[in-house]
Amino acid sequence: AARRVADRLIGWSTLIAAGLGLAQAAAMPYLTPLFTPLPAVREAVAAPARVAALVTLTNGPIFAGEGIMMGLGAFGPLAAVTAAGVGVMVAGLSVSARLGLGVASVWWSLLAFHAVLLVGQLGHHLRLSPLATAGR
């Protein structure tokens, strides 16, 4: 039963995050004029806003995965996955700063952090956690 609840939590969180990410991306052309009348600023914000929508999409399964791992008391694996993600994000930010890649690259670094978290958390959930064999 616990595995089914965890699976539903990940599923619903992913669906909600996908809806929010899509809404954010779809609303961008309508929201940016509310904040600036300058076409150059609107163009400059487009790429970071699209990447931010992708980051929003990853929030649901990541937050659910963190909650599931905490509920299982898997603090060591969660800390390890988070540390690996931070390492990837810091490397991305360092490269971005050296190459002057701009604001969108900051969001890409955050997305890379989220990707590491997502792979680690789902790997734990599907292979390593006590719930991995539950219900089989």
Side-chain angles (χ1 to χ4, degrees):
R3 170 63 190 254
R4 287 194 312 271
V5 170
D7 289 346
R8 277 196 309 272
L9 179 63
I10 292 169
W12 279 107
S13 297
T14 301
L15 286 173
I16 291 167
L20 289 171
L22 289 171
Q24 182 178 344
M28 187 183 67
Y30 306 103
L31 290 177
T32 52
L34 297 175
F35 294 97
T36 181
L38 304 173
V41 174
R42 291 181 195 171
E43 289 175 27
V45 78
R50 282 192 293 273
V51 183
L54 286 173
V55 171
T56 299
L57 189 134
T58 64
N59 284 339
I62 286 171
F63 295 154
E66 285 179 353
I68 291 166
M69 289 181 78
M70 284 188 270
L72 291 169
F75 297 106
L78 180 58
V81 166
T82 303
V86 167
V88 168
M89 182 175 65
V90 168
L93 291 171
S94 297
V95 169
S96 171
R98 281 194 200 107
L99 299 178
L101 298 177
V103 176
S105 64
V106 173
W107 283 99
W108 281 112
S109 297
L110 182 59
L111 186 61
F113 169 67
H114 280 203
V116 171
L117 289 180
L118 189 59
V119 168
Q121 290 170 3
L122 287 178
H124 183 270
H125 179 68
L126 297 172
R127 301 262 185 227
L128 303 174
S129 94
L131 300 179
T133 57
R136 285 189 191 177

